[in-house]
Amino acid sequence: MQGHIHHTNLTDEELLLAYRADGDSQWLGYLLQRYTALLLGVALKYLKSKTLAEDAVQQVFLKALTHLPKEEIVNFKGWLYILTRNHCLQQLRDKPPVAGEAALAYVPVAEEDKEEIQWREHTLQQVNEALELLNEEQRNAISLFYLKMYSYEQIIAQTGYTFMQVKSYIQNGKRNLKTILLKKSGNSRT
């Protein structure tokens, strides 16, 4: 391109042609600079944070500079918009949940919920006490299967039990656990 032509007078297509002709990333930089405000708005819409949006735009610029398609881009503005949108959506997918259980600490508990929570804690304590009364194999199999959510295969690998042993320990453990809990609840009522 001629040195006396100012980049602001060039169309997107002309800037892209100039970049492809001499490989000078300055041409692409001018082009990206045109759309900074647009891309920042798009990123802000998705990410809801100015800092994250600014970072996203920088990453999109870097991606555009390093991964510009070899084929002709008919609508550079549209291509850049889609690149930004996809980048933001990927950021949101990769981001771990912000609050999770920690957010629940700030939710006030209604009075009826407090009773429910106390009842569940009491029940959980009863189950833990009953679990301790099972033989070691049953307690181990029940804990791994129901509390740690292990599959039969994982329990076999961890304990060395056979498939039939695991199945038997879980079935008999459940039955024995139920019997122990029924006896406890029957005794607590009298």
Side-chain angles (χ1 to χ4, degrees):
M1 283 263 146
Q2 298 172 3
H4 69 277
I5 299 177
H6 198 265
H7 67 84
T8 56
N9 298 332
L10 299 175
T11 65
D12 291 357
E13 292 76 22
E14 290 170 329
L15 285 169
L16 270 174
L17 281 172
Y19 170 71
R20 291 189 193 278
D22 65 16
D24 186 352
S25 59
Q26 185 176 14
W27 296 115
L28 198 53
Y30 293 142
L31 191 52
L32 292 171
Q33 197 172 15
R34 274 185 191 171
Y35 297 110
T36 302
L38 170 77
L39 300 184
L40 193 56
V42 171
L44 201 51
K45 174 183 149 191
Y46 285 100
L47 301 176
K48 311 285 191 244
S49 158
K50 186 177 181 199
T51 307
L52 292 176
E54 289 169 347
D55 288 346
V57 169
Q58 289 299 318
Q59 290 173 358
V60 167
F61 280 2
L62 184 62
K63 200 178 285 186
L65 285 167
T66 57
H67 294 89
L68 190 69
K70 300 284 183 236
E71 65 275 355
E72 183 182 343
I73 299 172
V74 178
N75 178 357
F76 186 78
K77 181 180 174 183
W79 176 80
L80 208 50
Y81 172 86
I82 290 170
L83 189 66
T84 305
R85 182 197 65 190
N86 290 347
H87 176 80
C88 292
L89 291 173
Q90 187 62 48
Q91 293 291 103
L92 292 171
R93 275 192 295 269
D94 293 345
K95 191 169 96 173
V98 176
E101 287 187 31
L104 296 178
Y106 300 105
V107 177
V109 178
E111 282 304 312
E112 60 271 9
D113 291 343
K114 286 182 181 177
E115 287 180 25
E116 175 76 16
I117 290 169
Q118 288 172 340
W119 180 81
R120 285 185 184 180
E121 286 174 357
H122 175 73
T123 304
L124 190 58
Q125 181 182 350
Q126 295 289 322
V127 170
N128 282 330
E129 288 173 8
L131 237 128
E132 290 301 315
L133 298 175
L134 295 177
N135 70 40
E136 184 182 347
E137 291 85 3
Q138 289 176 0
R139 181 175 54 249
N140 205 6
I142 292 277
S143 296
L144 291 172
F145 189 72
Y146 288 106
L147 302 179
K148 293 191 177 181
M149 308 304 246
Y150 280 26
S151 66
Y152 275 37
E153 290 78 21
Q154 290 170 315
I155 296 172
I156 291 166
Q158 171 119 7
T159 62
Y161 301 152
T162 66
F163 177 82
M164 291 308 291
Q165 286 175 315
V166 170
K167 187 175 177 183
S168 172
Y169 292 149
I170 290 173
Q171 286 177 344
N172 292 332
K174 272 188 356 186
R175 187 181 61 248
N176 291 339
L177 205 53
K178 182 179 177 182
T179 304
I180 293 167
L181 288 169
L182 285 173
K183 282 183 184 174
K184 279 185 169 240
S185 68
N187 290 343
S188 66
R189 289 183 187 161
T190 55

